[in-house]
């Protein structure tokens, strides 16, 4: 079977170190092993209200962020979801075989709809059908994501199997790929919930565009546990374990070595060193994002090429899908 890796991020707010460590960092490695497609999922972004001018700017900023994190347009197709209309067409078709009860079980929908109260559009509910379409359209075999997306991936697999049963073998049933550590980075201000772009306070996350001063400030303010010990145990020490995970990903130092290194030293020295390590990781990325943002012509060419490649694959697949379902004449 020909492997193909597909993943995407919503162009909402800023990209944070949870997105980087949980998702994009592993994408950069994947592209050396498999053909890859990395999408900017702007149609998913509009499932909650967006300001149009800001959304358009965020699309370019996310494309710049992909490049700054090492995604290489020579190896990977980088494109905007809304520029390949087949995503929405397939989402509609898959929506007809996705059950309401299945969508009602999605925790992302439950969390986001509780927060929004009455102000919830149908798109937020059917979001997973669009995500399934993104993935299945390209005969994707591997989907590298953070832990919060596993439930959506499971539903994608269910829908692919259901379609194949109903209409004949059409889609490959994809596998998810999550990291052993770092698949769920927790909020700095609240280590009981995941770090999230849509968090109320910017103290929840460190963005890849944060200044060195902001990074230091946010780490200093990060919640810690009460026993003052630096040892990895997410159940009893969720805050420090989360900070250790960040430290590990920024430096490669193991949890065991971190514990030995900071034994008896308290949180002060640990936090200062963690901030330095994060600054060293983020600064080059931040500078590259600015570099790519300052050259919209080159960025446009990369997105054009990505769209054309994606479009060709998507058109071919949709011809088969329409025929299987019996659409048209
Ligand atoms: P929001 O909270 O506004 O929904 P988000 O922070 O979850 O946004 P997404 O665009 O939904 O960001 O996610 C992009 C990728 O980053 C996905 O693969 C997702 O699983 C991953 N991801 C998101 N948050 C985290 C996190 N806290 N830890 C690890 N990975 C994460
Ligand atoms: N739902 C994902 C974003 C997303 C995605 C995808 C990820 C949309 N389509 C396809 C992987 C594959 C999120 O909220 N992070």
């Amino acid at each position: 079977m020909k492997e193909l890796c597909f993943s995407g991020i919503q162009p909402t707010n800023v990209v944070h170190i949870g997105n980087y460590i949980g998702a994009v960092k592993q994408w950069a490695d994947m592209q050396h092993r498999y053909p890859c497609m990395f999408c900017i999922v702007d149609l998913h972004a509009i499932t909650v209200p967006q300001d149009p001018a800001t959304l358009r700017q965020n699309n370019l900023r996310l494309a710049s962020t992909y490049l700054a994190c090492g995604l290489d347009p020579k190896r990977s197709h980088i494109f905007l979801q809304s520029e390949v209309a087949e995503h929405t067409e397939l989402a509609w078709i898959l929506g007809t075989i996705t059950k309401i009860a299945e969508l009602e079980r999605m925790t992302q929908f439950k969390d986001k709809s509780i927060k929004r109260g009455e102000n919830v559009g149908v798109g937020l509910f059917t979001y997973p059908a669009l995500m399934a379409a993104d993935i299945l359209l390209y005969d994707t075999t591997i989907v590298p994501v953070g832990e919060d997306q596993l439930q959506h991936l499971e539903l994608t697999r269910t829908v692919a199997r259901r379609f194949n049963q109903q209409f004949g073998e059409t889609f490959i049933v994809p596998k998810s790929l999550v990291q052993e550590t770092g698949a769920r980075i927790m909020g700095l201000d609240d280590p009981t919930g995941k770090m999230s772009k849509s968090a109320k306070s910017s103290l929840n996350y460190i963005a890849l565009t944060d200044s060195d001063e902001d990074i230091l400030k946010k780490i200093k303010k990060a919640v810690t546990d009460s026993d003052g010990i630096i040892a990895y145990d997410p159940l009893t020490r969720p805050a420090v374990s989360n900070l250790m995970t960040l430290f590990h990903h920024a430096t490669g130092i193991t949890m065991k070595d971190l514990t030995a290194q900071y034994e008896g030293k308290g949180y002060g020295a640990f936090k200062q060193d963690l901030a330095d390590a994060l600054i060293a990781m983020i600064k080059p990325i931040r500078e590259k994002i600015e570099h790519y943002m300052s050259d919209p012509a080159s960025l446009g060419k990369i997105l054009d090429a990505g769209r054309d490649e994606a479009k060709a694959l998507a058109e071919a697949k949709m011809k088969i899908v329409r025929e299987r379902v019996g659409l048209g004449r």
Side-chain angles (χ1 to χ4, degrees):
M1 187 168 63
K2 214 173 104 237
E3 300 285 1
L4 188 122
C5 161
F6 184 102
S7 201
I9 294 186
Q10 304 183 68
T12 48
N13 199 5
V14 286
V15 173
H16 54 66
I17 47 174
N19 303 134
Y20 179 64
I21 293 171
V24 190
K25 198 169 160 223
Q26 55 170 346
W27 301 357
D29 299 333
M30 299 285 291
Q31 56 180 357
H32 296 282
R33 279 181 284 157
Y34 309 113
C36 291
M37 310 195 63
F38 297 117
C39 192
I40 293 154
V41 292
D42 51 354
L43 293 165
H44 277 110
I46 61 167
T47 55
V48 297
Q50 303 291 336
D51 169 63
T54 309
L55 177 59
R56 209 162 274 142
Q57 188 68 9
N58 279 344
N59 280 338
L60 296 182
R61 188 165 286 281
L62 185 53
S64 299
T65 304
Y66 280 3
L67 297 170
C69 292
L71 303 187
D72 176 358
K74 289 197 204 80
R75 291 181 183 275
S76 303
H77 304 319
I78 298 172
F79 69 105
L80 290 179
Q81 185 187 35
S82 64
E83 293 187 348
V84 181
E86 284 75 6
H87 287 247
T88 39
E89 186 184 357
L90 183 56
W92 177 261
I93 295 169
L94 296 180
T96 65
I97 60 162
T98 307
K99 297 178 180 160
I100 289 178
E102 287 168 336
L103 293 174
E104 277 170 346
R105 281 199 285 276
M106 297 292 113
T107 49
Q108 180 175 301
F109 169 71
K110 286 193 269 188
D111 291 348
K112 291 199 176 182
S113 57
I114 286 168
K115 275 187 209 149
R116 307 200 75 82
E118 292 280 291
N119 188 15
V120 177
V122 174
L124 195 63
F125 187 60
T126 57
Y127 177 120
L130 177 59
M131 178 158 162
D134 297 341
I135 296 167
L136 300 181
L137 198 46
Y138 299 104
D139 290 333
T140 301
T141 56
I142 311 162
V143 188
V145 282
E147 203 181 88
D148 62 308
Q149 294 304 313
L150 286 181
Q151 200 185 24
H152 288 158
L153 247 298
E154 233 6 87
L155 183 58
T156 300
R157 290 163 56 82
T158 302
V159 169
R161 283 195 211 99
R162 189 173 296 150
F163 187 99
N164 289 347
Q165 253 168 15
Q166 225 163 303
F167 300 106
E169 282 300 314
T170 307
F171 295 122
I172 287 175
V173 181
K175 289 196 175 66
S176 54
L177 183 73
V178 292
Q179 313 218 76
E180 270 178 36
T181 61
R184 186 172 174 84
I185 300 292
M186 309 309 275
L188 296 178
D189 60 347
D190 172 14
T192 62
K194 86 168 184 103
M195 183 176 284
S196 161
K197 288 177 193 156
S198 47
K200 278 202 194 88
S201 163
S202 65
L203 290 175
N204 174 269
Y205 54 77
I206 289 177
L208 296 182
T209 45
D210 276 349
S211 67
D212 295 353
E213 296 73 35
D214 282 341
I215 296 170
L216 181 61
K217 186 184 87 186
K218 289 181 181 185
I219 290 298
K220 283 203 166 153
K221 288 201 171 171
V223 169
T224 46
D225 306 301
S226 51
D227 63 5
I229 297 169
I230 291 155
Y232 188 76
D233 183 0
L235 282 181
T236 58
R237 274 181 224 99
V240 164
S241 300
N242 190 43
L243 297 179
M244 289 177 81
T245 304
L246 298 180
F247 211 135
H248 166 70
H249 276 277
T251 60
I253 305 175
T254 62
M255 304 300 180
K256 227 172 128 197
D257 288 349
L258 283 172
T259 302
Q261 208 168 309
Y262 289 98
E263 201 185 335
K265 290 196 182 151
Y267 293 138
F270 173 77
K271 279 187 161 183
Q272 179 64 53
D273 292 350
L274 169 59
D276 289 344
L278 289 174
I279 289 168
M281 179 177 84
I282 291 169
K283 191 173 180 217
I285 298 178
R286 181 178 70 220
E287 289 172 354
K288 282 185 203 151
I289 295 174
E290 288 320 312
H291 163 78
Y292 289 114
M293 282 303 279
S294 68
D295 186 2
S298 303
L299 201 54
K301 277 192 197 137
I302 290 169
L303 291 174
D304 285 350
R307 175 203 58 211
D308 293 346
E309 298 278 357
K311 185 104 188 128
L313 295 171
E315 275 175 356
K317 191 76 185 180
M318 277 315 294
K319 268 195 191 140
I320 300 171
V321 172
R322 285 184 213 112
E323 191 191 298
R324 297 270 153 91
V325 178
L327 298 171
R329 282 175 280 169

